[in-house]
Amino acid sequence: MFTPERINDVRDKTGVFKNIRSKLRALKDAVKTRMKAKVYGKKGGHPPTVEFSGLTLSSPPKDVTKNARRPLHERSPNKEAATINEGITEPEADAKARRAKNRKLRVKARLSTELTSIKPLLQQHPASLEQATINYLKPLVASENVDSTVEDFQAWTDERSPPLQIEKQGEGSFGEVYRATYGEQSVILKLIPMRAQSGQGSRKHTTIQDALSEVQLLARMREVPGFVDFRSAQVVSGRLPKQFLAAWDKYKRGGEVVEAKNPNYLSTYPVNQLWLLIEMGDAGRDLDRYRPRNTLSPPKSNILSVQRSWDIFWQVARALAKGEIHAQFEHRDLHLGNICIKDRRAQADTEDLRLVSRYHPTPFKLDHTGLEVTIIDYTLARATLEENHVVFKDLSKEPLLFEGTGDIQFDIYRHMRDVVGTKFGWMQSRPMTNVMWLYFVMEQLLRRTAHLSQEAAYETDKETTVTAKMKAILVEVWETIDVHRKREWEVLSATELIGVGTTKGWFLTEDIMNH
């Protein structure tokens, strides 16, 4: 039976419930508004929370995809939650518990977001997905130099035995380079992200044709001494494996300049990213990072002895000359990062103080220091394959390459364009480009070559030391192939430069012929 007291009690409780329902409706509308926003345009943070006399009501966590890609300590607070909670106080213990709970909710939301991104791929029919991928990759995997299967990247890495120890070596516009060590052996893995057929990544990364051209060039030039030992190529699919991610993070923490985007983020590479994985012999450190061992130079410096500069330059020139003869090869991007050095023996460099004639030819050998020099990375190169098929990169489609300033390297690109791209086209064989890059290499080597000691700089009217004469020859070569001189070119190829050296008695002819 409803007494007046009972009726008043029901009215009071009904008012409270109506107040709660109205606040819940407002909160629900706010959540719906946020959920309609674009996934990658939203700001993350804590879910809105409202307290009613000890009762805590939390809205479902919003999609925090943007924040999920950032470390927890960098995530931005939720401004709306702060507004709703304004003026509400709570005990410190309860506040800590709520923040801990919200952190768990954000992690759960992040995992849910990534699974949501993967789910559409899993829902596709496996056979049709595989067939579409094979059709797209057919020009590449049909090559005799590329494995015909497409493997999962993480599975490929885990199946190596013994387990791979991965170390990042460098990066470029093409992708990244890693050293993989297993047991006592090591190889170089060049990792090239390939352009997707559609969707994310379909307007960037390396095209299938460019990837095929690089593999063809590697296979063509591996027979030539001084060129990288190409071993295999494999197409893999998926996110970057955990071993590579750890190496990437270590490389960045080590203070190296990193221009590539963080591969941990889904916005960088999708879950079905295609890669071309090229395995090559370990050629040592690139010349830009190379530090001589057991020399008279200061520790950890890149100062080279005269003998090392001599060996490096002439080994590069000899390799280019043999490449011109073998395949009309032009590198077209021979900066110091594309020249690798390996010490074959631990022996200190000493200046040669023997006296020789200043004016009469004194041929020197081309292997004073035991260095092994290798030319790598043929991304911009040009060569003729069997049956007169030419592989080249049309640099007229890369205008930004010619706009750099502040270094002679960018001048070399423009010199190439002036005498090759404008007059002949990038498909044509113009070995003069090799001479331009040899000038660049010599310029950089002379900057890094140690000054002669007082004993080595000794000379008379007729005699000088062996070390002093070797350095004088290097300077003479630099002046002979100077690209900045306004004159007709005297040397039009690396082969001609070797011929000039033989005629002038700079080095022993058998060191060229028998290598």
Side-chain angles (χ1 to χ4, degrees):
M1 183 174 181
F2 292 96
T3 63
E5 291 80 12
R6 175 63 173 167
I7 293 173
N8 291 334
D9 183 58
V10 170
R11 285 175 177 173
D12 292 339
K13 290 183 179 179
T14 301
V16 172
F17 292 146
K18 284 183 177 180
N19 186 30
I20 292 175
R21 283 196 297 269
S22 64
K23 290 183 179 293
L24 285 175
R25 281 196 297 269
L27 183 60
K28 184 177 179 181
D29 293 338
V31 172
K32 285 183 177 181
T33 301
R34 293 198 305 275
M35 295 301 290
K36 290 180 180 179
K38 291 185 179 179
V39 171
Y40 290 103
K42 298 172 65 179
K43 293 185 177 180
H46 304 287
T49 303
V50 183
E51 285 195 354
F52 299 97
S53 62
L55 174 64
T56 301
L57 303 174
S58 298
S59 70
K62 61 187 283 189
D63 191 324
V64 291
T65 305
K66 183 175 181 180
N67 270 358
R69 297 177 297 161
R70 299 169 56 189
L72 289 176
H73 68 277
E74 294 181 1
R75 296 181 182 176
S76 58
N78 191 317
K79 295 182 180 178
E80 186 175 353
T83 302
I84 294 177
N85 284 301
E86 185 176 359
I88 298 177
T89 61
E90 58 183 328
E92 183 64 24
D94 293 343
K96 289 183 178 179
R98 178 175 57 79
R99 288 194 294 269
K101 181 179 179 181
N102 288 337
R103 282 196 295 270
K104 292 181 180 180
L105 288 173
R106 289 198 300 274
V107 173
K108 185 176 180 180
R110 181 188 65 188
L111 296 176
S112 176
T113 299
E114 295 198 1
L115 289 175
T116 302
S117 302
I118 298 173
K119 190 174 180 180
L121 295 173
L122 300 179
Q123 291 176 341
Q124 298 184 51
H125 192 278
S128 62
L129 178 63
E130 181 181 1
Q131 189 60 47
T133 303
I134 289 177
N135 290 339
Y136 177 59
L137 294 172
K138 188 174 181 180
L140 183 60
V141 297
S143 170
E144 61 179 352
N145 301 304
V146 181
D147 195 291
S148 60
T149 62
V150 180
E151 295 192 33
D152 176 77
F153 201 172
Q154 184 66 65
W156 180 92
T157 306
D158 293 339
E159 291 170 358
R160 301 305 99 182
S161 180
L164 297 180
Q165 302 296 322
I166 305 297
E167 178 188 2
K168 182 174 175 178
Q169 298 297 297
E171 60 185 32
S173 58
F174 60 85
E176 299 179 335
V177 175
Y178 294 82
R179 173 178 282 108
T181 303
Y182 52 100
E184 297 182 354
Q185 301 184 31
S186 62
V187 296
I188 295 298
L189 299 177
K190 184 174 182 178
L191 192 56
I192 304 176
M194 291 190 291
R195 184 172 297 178
Q197 189 175 14
S198 60
Q200 183 181 350
S202 59
R203 296 185 179 182
K204 59 182 180 179
H205 303 317
T206 301
T207 65
I208 298 297
Q209 184 56 50
D210 285 345
L212 176 60
S213 296
E214 176 145 6
V215 172
Q216 291 174 327
L217 273 168
L218 286 165
R220 176 70 165 152
M221 302 307 297
R222 65 182 163 189
E223 303 173 3
V224 182
F227 285 80
V228 70
D229 176 23
F230 167 68
R231 298 185 179 180
S232 65
Q234 170 80 53
V235 177
V236 291
S237 175
R239 301 292 302 282
L240 210 62
K242 57 185 179 182
Q243 295 91 332
F244 288 81
L245 290 175
W248 195 96
D249 290 336
K250 184 178 180 181
Y251 182 85
K252 184 176 182 179
R253 291 196 306 270
E256 299 290 347
V257 177
V258 177
E259 297 182 358
K261 294 183 179 180
N262 193 326
N264 288 281
Y265 298 156
L266 281 171
S267 60
T268 304
Y269 299 117
V271 294
N272 59 342
Q273 175 66 48
L274 294 171
W275 309 83
L276 177 63
L277 188 63
I278 300 176
E279 181 179 333
M280 301 171 286
D282 189 350
R285 298 282 181 179
D286 66 71
L287 185 52
D288 209 20
R289 293 159 50 93
Y290 169 71
R291 300 296 181 264
R293 297 185 305 168
N294 300 319
T295 71
L296 300 177
S297 306
K300 297 184 180 180
S301 74
N302 60 352
I303 301 299
L304 301 168
S305 66
V306 174
Q307 290 94 326
R308 285 177 185 252
S309 295
W310 176 274
D311 283 355
I312 291 170
F313 178 81
W314 288 117
Q315 286 192 47
V316 171
R318 178 174 60 189
L320 287 176
K322 290 182 178 291
E324 291 172 357
I325 296 172
H326 180 74
Q328 295 182 316
F329 177 85
E330 299 169 46
H331 193 283
R332 296 181 175 177
D333 194 24
L334 197 57
H335 54 76
L336 300 190
N338 288 334
I339 300 173
C340 284
I341 308 295
K342 180 184 287 187
D343 282 330
R344 292 179 295 178
R345 64 172 183 254
Q347 178 177 335
D349 297 340
T350 57
E351 294 177 319
D352 193 336
L353 303 181
R354 292 176 298 165
L355 296 178
V356 294
S357 171
R358 291 182 60 185
Y359 307 107
H360 296 292
T362 307
F364 299 117
K365 63 180 182 178
L366 299 186
D367 186 7
H368 289 266
T369 58
L371 293 180
E372 183 177 335
V373 181
T374 304
I375 297 174
I376 65 170
D377 192 1
Y378 315 144
T379 304
L380 306 187
R382 182 259 181 226
T384 303
L385 308 182
E386 289 82 357
E387 300 179 356
N388 294 324
H389 174 62
V390 176
V391 176
F392 73 104
K393 178 77 171 180
D394 187 358
L395 300 183
S396 63
K397 298 179 180 179
E398 307 290 339
L400 294 179
L401 186 67
F402 308 102
E403 296 179 6
T405 58
D407 193 284
I408 187 177
Q409 176 181 341
F410 304 116
D411 294 336
I412 300 299
Y413 293 130
R414 286 185 283 271
H415 282 301
M416 285 201 307
R417 179 187 59 187
D418 293 342
V419 301
V420 180
T422 303
K423 297 181 180 179
F424 304 100
W426 295 103
M427 180 179 177
Q428 300 300 317
S429 174
R430 303 300 298 174
M432 184 188 305
T433 62
N434 286 335
V435 182
M436 295 177 180
W437 283 106
L438 284 173
Y439 169 80
F440 171 81
V441 173
M442 181 65 85
E443 171 91 7
Q444 299 301 310
L445 288 174
L446 289 176
R447 290 181 180 181
R448 289 166 167 77
T449 301
H451 295 294
L452 298 177
S453 67
Q454 185 175 356
E455 293 80 4
Y458 172 81
E459 64 180 17
T460 66
D461 292 340
K462 296 182 179 180
E463 294 181 320
T464 188
T465 65
V466 169
T467 298
K469 186 163 186 176
M470 290 176 66
K471 188 169 185 178
I473 291 175
L474 293 178
V475 173
E476 183 180 353
V477 173
W478 174 74
E479 293 174 345
T480 301
I481 59 177
D482 186 353
V483 298
H484 297 103
R485 293 191 175 185
K486 303 298 182 180
R487 54 168 173 69
E488 292 294 326
W489 283 85
E490 299 176 2
V491 180
L492 300 180
S493 66
T495 307
E496 288 190 12
L497 180 61
I498 294 296
V500 171
T502 302
T503 301
K504 292 192 173 184
W506 290 339
F507 44 74
L508 298 173
T509 305
E510 53 265 28
D511 282 357
I512 300 294
M513 303 302 296
N514 298 334
H515 187 269

